[in-house]
Amino acid sequence: MEALYILIPLGLTIIFAAGAALIWAIHSGQFENLEQAERLGLDDE
Amino acid sequence: MSTSPKTAQQDWQVYDREELRSSIAVATGSRSEVLLGLDNVHCAACVARVRKSIQDLVPDPQVDLSSRTLRLSHDPARLPLSQLLQRLDQAGFSPQVLAQDGGAQREAKANRQSLARIGIAVIGAMQVMMLAWPGYFGEGQDDAGIAMLMRWAQLILATPVVFYSGWPFLQGAWQALRTRSVNMDVPVAASLLIAWGASTLRVLLGAGDLYFDAATMFVMLLGGGRYLEGRTRAVAGARLRLLAARRALTAVREDAQGQGESVPIARLALGDVLRVAPGETLPADGELLDDFAALDESLLSGEARPVTHHRGEVLAAGSLNVGAGVLRLRVSTLGQGTMLSHITRLLAQAQAHKPKLQLIADRIAGRFVLIILALALLGAGLWWHAGADKALSVALAVLVASCPCALSLATPAVFAAAASRLAGRGVLLANPAALERVQEVQAVLFDKTGTLTHNALQLQILQPLAALDETSCRRIVAALERDLPHPIARALAQPEVAGAQDVRLDARGGVSGSVDGADYWLGAPEHSGCELSAYRAQLDAQPEATWLLLRRDQQPLALLALSAVLRSEARETVAALQSEGLRVELLSGDGQAPTEALAQRVGIGAWRARQTPEQKLARLRELQQHQEKVMAVGDGSNDAPFLAAADVALAMPSGTALAQARADAILIGDSLQGIVALRQVSAASRKRIRENLSWAFVYNLVMLPLALGGLLTPWLAALGMSLSSLIVVSNALRLGAGGATRSS
């Protein structure tokens, strides 16, 4: 059970990193025009 | 949009001028971002061609296929816009520079922000749930240190969710309270703050139940519902923005010789005389020079009926000319102010516009909220004897259980799924509320030209009848039709030919005007007043063609035959609609013979030829009086009144701005099969909405007494709420799945 003393803070750190990465991705416009990107990808073949 | 007036001189350099830049470009540092409309972009291969044509100049152009726009950023000092425009023009895309006010950017930014808020809420809520889970079963409690660590971890994770993701709710509640009113945000904010506050206190004290799980899940689900709802509205807003943008930059100005020329609005001066064709927007405020004019001012004042103005009255920029003829006005107010302020108003209106259901919900929300708050207090009072802890828990459970989360998701989730499904099948849903009415439709009225046939008419025959040769006749015809928005005009106008003077449409659809000092008339041979017996055999030989006769005074000069190409899917679509028991009718402004020939080819038994806009409207009203719901499909400005009055209005993508602004859906795939798709999706979504609403209603009805009875802990209430919301959303998403054919 002692492992939890490390794992929970570690988990928290990873979660905050993930949150920060998500915000960065959204603000750099990676989630825009998803449908069109999909369409283009398919038709370029 | 092929109706936009072509600039006579392709003088792209005008767009490099400083005075225009502020209205067409959004500056970011030394670069400026511009939005261009493109013609001839239909598929992914076209998109690739657009990119290729300017690849060496602009590394990362964003082409949007559904709106046919190109967004690019360039450095005006090093790469003039005119060079890009010229390149695109040569490649055959006829670029149109669109006005911008930074609104699209603001909207994109707001959209990103709400997406980020939801993302954080989802991540946080999931983690809090995991950490809270052992506590539900009393596990992990034997080690006090671990238990405390998990409680602190929940606090750390829940705080950003409540205050960052939940900020819109807190802000909304605060704004309502400050103006001494209540809205739906008030109970949401109350439960968030109570749950977070009480739990934080208990973490600090080291004992007692925590409600972080309930609070975070609450934010996640409510935020998700609002986001979906906002997206559907944004689609309609973006379309309107585009329509507004397309109209804003050029005007037809009359020069000293009385010739019309297209000029950028920035070049207009006070006192200039402008011409505005039917279906076009007034580019500037001005004094009317004609005897009277009919204007649609609904986008400015909300008045739906056309307003008649008389000579000398000042007309407002942004109104639409819905009269039969070109109107002339003298510019009286100028500057960026007029048109841009109009666009801003238009957009603000579009964004503030709420669906009817939402309005009713808002109206009853005030009372509803007070009841919820009263019930929560009642619950706390009933359980006060069991201690403050139990009372707080019951109050929270009531607040969470009575929250109409699933109810608020029920309709928007279905609309969002339906809109995305329809977009894949070539239909842009501008007004989601119309989706419900599509199912009740019993009659479908089609316009002919541009709707059942392809928009472009082609000049098949031009036969001179008198002294004038073919080339001269062709020039006169082009001059007469130059500024008109009708498909016939598009087939006949030539950009290099200057417009005629005193162009007038008469009640029978003829156009008259003077070219080089002589008066001409062009219109249906039957209405020309000329003796036709000599040409009768020729006219009868091709009944499906649209025949026109050009005359000077009473002398016939030439016969012209135009014909339109029938859409390949028209027959199939009509048959599909008829097989569902719908009454299908064809109302055409065109002549008897071509209308009949076309009606036979597509299999429509009931058709009417030579219909004026008033007659089309009258036929529609007649059907409506017999309690029939009517769907109208049209494209031109002469369909506008009839589209506006229809229960469901569909516009073709090549139609005029007026027709599109009034439509509930636009067939962006340029195919009539969108109508069949619309009916199918509408039927499916109606079913889903009913299922969702009844589920959500039953859920709230069952949960509320349980919460009041103290049987429901806050986390159970939150869990139940999530499950019920999840059911509602997945039910809606079933719409989007299966057979998602994409048109390209």
Side-chain angles (χ1 to χ4, degrees):
Chain A
M1 283 297 254
E2 274 66 39
L4 284 180
Y5 285 107
I6 297 167
L7 287 178
I8 290 177
L10 187 68
L12 281 183
T13 320
I14 293 174
I15 292 307
F16 274 90
L22 178 76
I23 289 185
W24 170 82
I26 288 172
H27 284 284
S28 65
Q30 303 213 0
F31 290 93
E32 262 137 68
N33 271 333
L34 288 180
E35 289 190 11
Q36 195 188 333
E38 170 193 336
R39 217 180 318 177
L40 287 178
L42 288 175
D43 288 8
D44 271 353
E45 300 299 314
Chain B
M1 208 159 309
S2 39
T3 54
S4 55
K6 295 268 184 293
T7 27
Q9 81 295 12
Q10 294 295 1
D11 182 11
W12 298 116
Q13 263 143 37
V14 78
Y15 291 110
D16 294 335
R17 290 162 68 152
E18 205 63 47
E19 70 218 68
L20 255 181
R21 195 171 294 158
S22 61
S23 52
I24 60 173
V26 178
T28 44
S30 69
R31 303 180 75 79
S32 66
E33 195 179 275
V34 290
L35 185 66
L36 307 178
L38 300 177
D39 284 348
N40 305 322
V41 177
H42 309 292
C43 59
C46 309
V47 171
R49 281 201 298 130
V50 173
R51 287 168 181 276
K52 216 169 182 180
S53 69
I54 52 169
Q55 212 164 29
D56 51 322
L57 300 176
V58 183
D60 186 28
Q62 293 168 29
V63 190
D64 184 60
L65 190 55
S66 58
S67 62
R68 294 182 193 161
T69 55
L70 165 66
R71 185 179 293 280
L72 53 85
S73 105
H74 71 121
D75 181 354
R78 290 196 301 157
L79 173 66
L81 187 58
S82 57
Q83 198 182 334
L84 282 164
L85 292 170
Q86 206 152 14
R87 188 77 75 83
L88 287 164
D89 193 33
Q90 278 162 3
F93 297 114
S94 323
Q96 303 119 43
V97 181
L98 304 181
Q100 291 203 94
D101 60 348
Q105 278 204 331
R106 276 198 299 279
E107 203 169 84
K109 203 176 154 203
N111 182 37
R112 287 175 183 183
Q113 184 128 45
S114 38
L115 203 58
R117 287 189 205 278
I118 291 168
I120 294 302
V122 172
I123 294 179
M126 294 300 160
Q127 299 305 314
V128 169
M129 267 275 266
M130 286 214 299
L131 289 165
W133 196 248
Y136 297 165
F137 306 104
E139 275 175 34
Q141 306 291 336
D142 21 305
D143 188 331
I146 300 259
M148 204 177 82
L149 188 60
M150 285 169 93
R151 290 161 75 88
W152 275 97
Q154 287 185 57
L155 171 61
I156 292 170
L157 285 165
T159 305
V161 174
V162 170
F163 291 98
Y164 174 68
S165 303
W167 186 248
F169 299 107
L170 301 179
Q171 204 182 21
W174 170 243
Q175 270 164 5
L177 290 177
R178 223 176 35 178
T179 56
R180 290 165 191 277
S181 60
V182 284
N183 59 10
M184 279 308 290
D185 288 337
V186 175
V188 174
S191 40
L192 283 184
L193 290 178
I194 293 174
W196 183 84
S199 309
T200 304
L201 196 67
R202 287 168 179 185
V203 168
L204 294 174
L205 293 175
D209 288 338
L210 301 185
Y211 307 125
F212 289 128
D213 46 355
T216 50
M217 231 180 304
F218 213 48
V219 173
M220 176 178 95
L221 294 167
L222 281 175
R226 281 212 186 166
Y227 177 73
L228 283 182
E229 197 188 25
R231 285 306 297 158
T232 8
R233 263 216 300 277
V235 170
R239 188 76 197 178
L240 212 57
R241 179 194 308 288
L242 218 55
L243 286 178
R246 289 200 187 255
R247 297 284 130 191
L249 291 165
T250 57
V252 179
R253 180 171 67 183
E254 209 167 85
D255 61 18
Q257 286 79 46
Q259 305 277 317
E261 57 161 343
S262 292
V263 292
I265 285 183
R267 277 212 200 154
L268 293 179
L270 287 180
D272 276 354
V273 175
L274 306 180
R275 289 182 193 169
V276 184
E280 303 281 343
T281 307
L282 269 55
D285 289 358
E287 186 190 326
L288 181 63
L289 298 176
D290 298 329
D291 287 336
F292 63 88
L295 294 180
D296 176 340
E297 299 176 348
S298 60
L299 293 173
L300 299 170
S301 66
E303 168 64 57
R305 282 168 303 179
V307 181
T308 305
H309 287 276
H310 298 277
R311 182 187 291 273
E313 287 181 10
V314 174
L315 312 177
S319 331
L320 295 151
N321 176 10
V322 291
V326 175
L327 70 80
R328 294 166 73 240
L329 61 94
R330 177 170 288 124
V331 177
S332 64
T333 314
L334 206 67
Q336 282 189 341
T338 6
M339 196 60 195
L340 286 183
S341 69
H342 153 62
I343 292 169
T344 322
R345 268 200 301 277
L346 197 71
L347 291 176
Q349 211 173 356
Q351 273 148 14
H353 174 262
K354 283 191 173 183
K356 210 187 249 169
L357 267 175
Q358 191 65 45
L359 285 176
I360 298 170
D362 284 355
R363 216 173 300 147
I364 58 172
R367 245 174 284 165
F368 186 60
V369 166
L370 288 178
I371 294 173
I372 293 178
L373 293 174
L375 280 175
L377 279 176
L378 177 73
L382 282 175
W383 289 90
W384 192 252
H385 62 87
D389 266 11
K390 182 67 182 170
L392 183 69
S393 149
V394 169
L396 258 183
V398 169
L399 280 177
V400 174
S402 63
C403 166
C405 282
L407 213 56
S408 74
L409 274 170
T411 327
V414 174
F415 281 162
S420 111
R421 178 80 194 272
L422 283 171
R425 298 181 66 175
V427 182
L428 183 103
L429 192 61
N431 174 13
L435 205 54
E436 292 178 59
R437 295 196 297 270
V438 169
Q439 248 355 72
E440 295 156 14
V441 162
Q442 288 142 308
V444 183
L445 303 184
F446 282 101
D447 170 48
K448 184 172 77 78
T449 314
T451 306
L452 283 178
T453 67
H454 279 289
N455 200 18
L457 280 171
Q458 275 181 338
L459 179 59
Q460 304 274 325
I461 301 171
L462 196 164
Q463 188 192 356
L465 303 173
L468 273 177
D469 66 1
E470 193 174 331
T471 328
S472 321
C473 290
R474 183 74 190 84
R475 267 182 52 84
I476 293 164
V477 165
L480 285 173
E481 297 279 356
R482 198 186 124 95
D483 296 328
L484 303 176
H486 194 270
I488 289 178
R490 268 174 250 152
L492 295 176
Q494 292 171 331
E496 67 275 13
V497 175
Q501 288 159 359
D502 302 325
V503 174
R504 237 165 264 235
L505 288 177
D506 60 35
R508 296 158 306 173
V511 51
S512 58
S514 86
V515 181
D516 302 330
D519 289 333
Y520 296 92
W521 183 92
L522 177 71
E526 294 79 5
H527 292 152
S528 64
C530 299
E531 178 54 45
L532 295 174
S533 51
Y535 323 120
R536 183 47 64 195
Q538 192 182 0
L539 294 179
D540 290 346
Q542 270 184 288
E544 72 281 0
T546 301
W547 285 95
L548 295 173
L549 186 135
L550 176 70
R551 67 169 162 78
R552 181 170 58 205
D553 305 324
Q554 287 308 309
Q555 195 205 359
L557 293 177
L559 269 179
L560 294 84
L562 296 163
S563 59
V565 191
L566 182 68
R567 285 178 190 273
S568 56
E569 74 282 6
R571 195 186 164 85
E572 201 181 315
T573 306
V574 167
L577 293 173
Q578 282 168 336
S579 74
E580 290 182 56
L582 297 182
R583 175 205 295 275
V584 179
E585 289 189 18
L586 171 62
L587 303 182
S588 174
D590 217 337
Q592 193 88 6
T595 309
E596 182 176 9
L598 188 111
Q600 276 173 359
R601 278 176 66 196
V602 291
I604 297 180
W607 52 270
R608 288 161 191 242
R610 301 220 178 284
Q611 296 283 297
T612 62
E614 292 75 25
Q615 285 172 311
K616 287 187 179 185
L617 186 62
R619 175 60 186 150
L620 184 129
R621 293 246 189 263
E622 192 185 332
L623 287 171
Q624 284 176 330
Q625 265 160 19
H626 290 92
Q627 311 300 326
E628 292 197 30
K629 297 263 185 239
V630 183
M631 178 192 280
V633 193
D635 82 318
S637 53
N638 59 343
D639 298 323
F642 140 87
L643 286 176
D647 297 287
V648 179
L650 306 183
M652 304 307 289
S654 47
T656 59
L658 182 57
Q660 295 201 0
R662 286 290 174 73
D664 294 309
I666 301 163
L667 302 175
I668 47 170
D670 204 14
S671 161
L672 292 173
Q673 281 180 326
I675 303 173
V676 179
L678 186 63
R679 297 253 319 158
Q680 287 166 351
V681 173
S682 153
S685 52
R686 189 189 171 96
K687 213 171 130 215
R688 300 277 169 273
I689 288 178
R690 283 203 181 152
E691 288 164 2
N692 278 356
L693 283 178
S694 36
W695 165 257
F697 187 68
V698 167
Y699 168 80
N700 279 23
L701 216 61
V702 170
M703 289 308 249
L704 203 57
L706 288 179
L708 271 176
L711 293 169
L712 210 60
T713 57
W715 72 266
L716 256 178
L719 191 71
M721 184 187 66
S722 336
L723 279 179
S724 121
S725 306
L726 213 62
I727 288 173
V728 163
V729 171
S730 1
N731 192 33
L733 287 180
R734 278 166 55 201
L735 257 187
T741 46
R742 295 192 182 280
S743 66
S744 60

